[in-house]
Structures are given as C-alpha cells and as structure tokens.
Amino acid sequence: MRLDNIRQLGIKELRSLVRDPIMQALIVFAFTISVYSGATAMPETLNKAPIGIVDEDQSPLSARIVDSFYPPHFLPPVLITPAEMDSRMDAGLDTFALNIPPEFQSDLLAGRQPTVQLNVDATRMTQAFSGSGYIQTMISSEVAEFVQRYRGTAVQPVELELRARFNPSLTQTWFGAVMEVINNVTMLSIVLTGAALIREREHGTIEHLLVMPVTPFEIMASKVWSMGLVVLVSCAFSLVFVVQGLLSVPIEGSLALFLLGTALHLFATTSMGIFLGTIARSMPQFGLLLMLLLLPLQMLSGGVTPRESMPDFVQAVMQIAPTTHFVSLAQAILYRGAGLDVVWSQFIILVLIGTVFFGITLIRFRKTIGMMG
C-alpha cells in the first residue's frame, strides 16, 4: 500500500508539472538552448576578436604583420587611420588597435628597436588578456622570420612530442556541452522539487494531503522519484540529441552507466530541493536560497576549475557535496570512457550522501508538516 501511495503521489506531481508551462519552458530551455549556447560561447577562448590596424610604414614587413591576423582567433583586420583608433575603440568596434609606426622596417634592419603600439579594450577582460599574448607572439614571429629570411623554427636540442588525450583537437565545445548538462541536472533537480512543495503550500493542496492516509515519507519520496525522473529523461534527451547530435560531441563511455550515476546524484539533490522548500515561504525566498546554495555547488565542485587549485579547506568541505563526486564520475565516464571498476567509489559515496540528505530532509519535512497540521 505504501509503494502504491508513493506511485500515485508521484503521478500527481507529474500532472502538476504538465499544468505548469513556466516549469516546462525552463526544462526545455535548460537542456536545449542553454546547453548549445554554453558549448558554443567559449568565453575563455579568443574567437573572432575585432582588430583595427594603422599601417604607417606601408612596407613588406608591415604587410606580413597585417596578413597574419585571420579567423578564427581574429576577424579580418580593418585598416584605419590614427585619428580613428580612439573613436573606434570608444564605440566598441575594435577590441585591439595596432599602430605600426613609420620607418618600422628600415629601423629594424638598421639594428634599432622600433616600438609597436597596441591599444586594448580591457573591458573585454578575457579576450584582452589572451589576445594581447597572441598578438605579441604573432608579431615577434613575423619579425624574426623576416629578419632571418627564413620561415621555420630552429632545431631544438630536445623535442617535445605533445599528445592530447580525450580531446585531441582541444575543442572547447566538447567540454562546455557536457559541463552545461551536468550543471543543469543539479539546478533543475533542486528547483523542481522545491518548487513543487512551495506550489502545494501556495495552492493549499498540502492541507489535503494532511487529511489523507499518507505519511511524510511517502509524500517526500513521491516528489523525489517524480521530479528526479523528469530531470533524468531530460538529461538523456539532451546528451543524445543536443550534445551528440546537434553539437557532434563524442561520448566515450556508457550512457547507461552515466545515467545510473545521475540517478544517484538526483537522490541527493532532490532531497536538498525539498529541504529548501521547507525553509522558504514563497518562491522569491526559494530563489534567494537557491542562489546561495547553487553557486558554491557549481563553482567549487571541480567542473569550472580543477579542485586541486583550490585551498585544502575548500577541498575538504566540498567532499560532502554530491556535485563534487557527480562531476568526477561524469567526466570519467563521458570524457575518458571509464567503467564501473573506476567510478564505483563515487557511486557508493553518492548513495551515502543521498541517504544522509534524505534523512535530514525527512526530519525537517515531518516538523514542517506537523506545524501545518
């Protein structure tokens, strides 16, 4: 009878979700448009940066420098006058403005050290930082080849053979797509379960449940399995049709094994969502609590930056967060093709964390139900 109650209450939650177009739109957006935009935006990669060049030398060397800027790192350079440098940058038309002075080539051949001016729009922080290094390297390379009258690299005493594993082309899309799916799994599982509880309180249906022959455990378990199932199905859809299909990102490992790990992760995060739902009295309050919880979970879990670069204290604290172990197993399975023999420890830890979170949330949920009664 208890299992039947959990099943029926879970179906009720799914029907409530079907009648909520806002939540449906959020789910669709999170696992389609959000994944695609997160994969293709590449915020930390120099991509199609606009550059204007003032060529006051008009020499073969300056022409070589101008021709060295091309996509995908830069847009084709725009030849401008000195008077246009500041105005174009003020208008946001150029991220970089390069000024090649007069007599640049002749000064260089005469043994003097001419100066090339580079103006950078530092409001575009990421491109300004990486782009300045790109431009310096490109100019130095072109000048060295022009002086040596030889295009090539000098023979080094030791040769480094570089082999990039798992992402040989160093394509940012491969990383961004999968991590966006992982982050959205955590976000939506917390949002859906917490919103489901608050929605019942706001609509008055929680009082109806109190007079029915159901226990707080059954009510909570029904929300966990129903909302977890929605996120799990959406995650599988996104990986197959958006990540593998639309973005052509290869998935190395077993999708079924990853979904099993996702289900264990959802066991913990849906419990966290219900816990926040018992604390918040309205959706705005729930949104503020979600910001306090979700940002640390995503930023410190190892999905954005390596955990090894974080302070030891942060690494120790984040061991109790399910996202830390979920990110670890997801990267191992989807990127490196790991099997159960590699990720079994993360699976066990997620079961333990989920059980603890479920138990703590159940105690809090019972007190909340008792206060309503």
Side-chain angles (χ1 to χ4, degrees):
M1 185 64 182
R2 173 167 294 182
L3 291 178
D4 188 63
N5 287 341
I6 295 175
R7 181 181 65 85
Q8 293 293 344
L9 290 173
I11 294 175
K12 177 189 73 68
E13 296 294 340
L14 295 176
R15 290 173 176 171
S16 298
L17 183 61
V18 171
R19 294 192 293 268
D20 192 339
I22 301 300
M23 284 298 177
Q24 293 180 38
L26 176 63
I27 296 171
V28 173
F29 171 82
F31 286 107
T32 54
I33 299 177
S34 178
V35 173
Y36 183 84
S37 60
T40 56
M42 297 185 296
E44 71 281 4
T45 304
L46 186 66
N47 186 53
K48 295 183 178 179
I51 181 172
I53 299 180
V54 180
D55 186 3
E56 297 184 278
D57 191 27
Q58 298 293 326
S59 65
L61 176 56
S62 64
R64 286 178 56 142
I65 294 176
V66 173
D67 292 339
S68 66
F69 295 94
Y70 49 83
H73 295 311
F74 297 91
L75 290 174
V78 179
L79 296 179
I80 58 178
T81 64
E84 295 176 310
M85 286 183 62
D86 291 339
S87 61
R88 286 179 60 86
M89 190 163 286
D90 292 340
L93 299 178
D94 294 330
T95 302
F96 305 97
L98 184 67
N99 187 356
I100 304 175
E103 308 299 329
F104 174 70
Q105 176 178 310
S106 59
D107 288 345
L108 185 68
L109 295 177
R112 292 184 285 270
Q113 294 182 339
T115 301
V116 177
Q117 179 183 349
L118 176 64
N119 294 342
V120 182
D121 182 1
T123 59
R124 303 173 181 179
M125 279 188 55
T126 304
Q127 287 197 341
F129 178 77
S130 59
S132 299
Y134 268 84
I135 294 174
Q136 182 178 1
T137 302
M138 292 166 64
I139 294 178
S140 299
S141 176
E142 291 295 335
V143 168
E145 292 173 357
F146 180 82
V147 172
Q148 296 171 3
R149 290 180 167 83
Y150 176 75
R151 182 179 293 272
T153 57
V155 178
Q156 301 295 328
V158 177
E159 183 177 356
L160 178 65
E161 185 69 26
L162 179 63
R163 297 181 181 179
R165 297 189 62 187
F166 313 121
N167 186 0
S169 60
L170 301 180
T171 305
Q172 176 65 22
T173 304
W174 292 18
F175 176 80
V178 173
M179 291 313 304
E180 193 71 20
V181 172
I182 293 173
N183 290 335
N184 288 341
V185 165
T186 301
M187 178 195 70
L188 276 180
S189 58
I190 297 176
V191 169
L192 291 180
T193 49
L197 180 59
I198 295 177
R199 181 171 55 239
E200 286 191 336
R201 183 186 297 129
E202 292 178 344
H203 294 173
T205 54
I206 191 69
E207 285 80 4
H208 298 168
L209 294 176
L210 295 178
V211 299
M212 295 177 62
V214 294
T215 64
F217 174 83
E218 295 169 357
I219 298 174
M220 182 174 165
S222 66
K223 297 182 184 300
V224 168
W225 82 257
S226 58
M227 297 299 99
L229 179 63
V230 171
V231 176
L232 189 65
V233 172
S234 302
C235 173
F237 173 86
S238 182
L239 285 175
V240 173
F241 294 100
V242 179
V243 176
Q244 289 183 302
L246 185 60
L247 296 171
S248 300
V249 177
I251 299 298
E252 296 295 333
S254 169
L255 185 59
L257 183 63
F258 169 72
L259 293 178
L260 176 60
T262 304
L264 298 179
H265 174 65
L266 290 171
F267 178 47
T269 53
T270 50
S271 300
M272 295 168 62
I274 295 176
F275 185 83
L276 293 182
T278 60
I279 298 176
R281 299 302 176 185
S282 62
M283 285 301 296
Q285 289 185 8
F286 177 73
L288 293 176
L289 291 174
L290 182 65
M291 292 173 58
L292 294 176
L293 177 67
L294 193 60
L295 289 178
L297 287 179
Q298 293 184 348
M299 297 296 294
L300 304 178
S301 62
V304 178
T305 57
R307 294 184 61 249
E308 293 76 14
S309 63
M310 303 177 189
D312 294 338
F313 173 75
V314 174
Q315 296 185 41
V317 171
M318 289 303 295
Q319 287 294 328
I320 64 174
T323 50
T324 300
H325 308 283
F326 179 54
V327 168
S328 177
L329 72 87
Q331 291 179 342
I333 295 173
L334 300 180
Y335 291 151
R336 300 186 289 271
L340 185 60
D341 58 324
V342 176
V343 298
W344 65 270
S345 59
Q346 282 85 15
F347 277 41
I348 293 178
I349 293 175
L350 282 177
V351 171
L352 296 177
I353 293 177
T355 303
V356 172
F357 281 3
F358 187 89
I360 295 174
T361 304
L362 181 59
I363 294 174
R364 171 70 186 180
F365 187 62
R366 282 173 175 167
K367 291 182 179 179
T368 305
I369 293 293
M371 294 173 59
M372 291 180 180

